[in-house]
Amino acid sequence: MTRTAIVVCAGGPARAALPDVPDDALVIAADAGILEAERLGLHVDLLIGDLDSAPADAVARAVRVERHPVDKDASDLELAVAAAVAADARRIVVVGGDGGRLDHLLGNAFLLASDRWADVEIDAVLGDARIWIVRDERTIDGKVGELVSLYAVGGPATGVTTEGLRWALTDGELVPGSSLGLSNELVAPSATVRVRGGVVLAIRPGLDT
């Protein structure tokens, strides 16, 4: 069975519903993400990061702590995702908020689409939004009428084909910086996005049209 990891980061509460995950999923908290993990009732297996924002009492409750220097070359979220991959997780669900700094939010989204995790299925719940990293094929679920935006990351995404979205793409191309994939709309409870080459961020912001 594919091992699943839940990586919980800070930035406020995750307001969208979490996807189904197995009861034995590995739970890793990135620094102050331990507070969100506890709010969600998750048992944290590993707390990782420089711990500059996790309260001391929360750190004391963690069963395993991996502390890193404040002056480091990777964010706490990157360390947590790397730890999940090192633990042989092949599916990672990132959970956290959408508050705080815009650069952090964008950086987190780009991080999840990194080629370092090309062999891992990754999606995220950040605030009201759901994010799917699409390599090959993913299913996007939600309510009819909800918005879905598609963005190419790291270069052009080729052979993009969608089903279940109002404005379909058939063997199309998305390029970074284009608004072609912005504000599409679910016409069914689930949609399929296929990508022949490249990486697509599929974002359901949690807002109706």
Side-chain angles (χ1 to χ4, degrees):
M1 179 180 295
T2 299
R3 189 175 196 189
T4 297
I6 303 173
V7 171
V8 189
C9 56
R15 296 179 294 274
L18 272 59
D20 291 335
V21 294
D23 293 336
D24 62 351
L26 175 70
V27 179
I28 300 176
D31 207 320
I34 190 172
L35 299 178
E36 177 64 5
E38 292 178 340
R39 186 188 73 82
L40 292 168
L42 299 172
H43 173 78
V44 175
D45 298 297
L46 171 65
L47 171 62
I48 191 170
D50 55 31
L51 309 186
D52 63 345
S53 54
D57 59 335
V59 175
R61 290 192 294 272
V63 296
R64 181 182 167 208
V65 177
E66 186 177 311
R67 188 187 295 268
H68 290 255
V70 173
D71 294 331
K72 58 187 189 305
D73 294 330
S75 68
D76 294 327
L77 177 58
E78 183 172 356
L79 293 172
V81 172
V85 173
D88 293 326
R90 287 299 172 263
R91 179 189 177 212
I92 299 176
V93 179
V94 176
V95 178
D98 56 359
R101 290 165 39 181
L102 177 61
D103 56 340
H104 278 179
L105 186 61
L106 291 175
N108 288 346
F110 294 149
L111 168 68
L112 300 184
S114 169
D115 286 342
R116 291 176 60 191
W117 332 121
D119 295 330
V120 184
E121 179 180 288
I122 297 179
D123 55 326
V125 177
L126 298 178
D128 292 314
R130 281 284 309 273
I131 299 174
W132 292 260
I133 308 302
V134 184
R135 303 176 190 271
D136 191 23
E137 179 178 324
R138 296 296 304 273
T139 298
I140 313 302
D141 55 15
K143 298 184 299 183
V144 172
E146 281 192 293
L147 298 174
V148 175
S149 291
L150 306 176
Y151 297 105
V153 179
T158 58
V160 181
T161 298
T162 64
E163 298 174 5
L165 296 178
R166 182 177 178 184
W167 293 283
L169 285 171
T170 302
D171 200 29
E173 181 179 53
L174 295 173
V175 297
S178 169
S179 60
L180 176 62
L182 176 67
S183 296
N184 214 317
E185 181 182 332
L186 284 166
V187 294
S190 65
T192 301
V193 180
R194 299 184 184 90
V195 179
R196 189 171 63 246
V199 185
V200 167
L201 278 176
I203 302 174
R204 194 193 73 199
L207 303 172
D208 295 334
T209 54

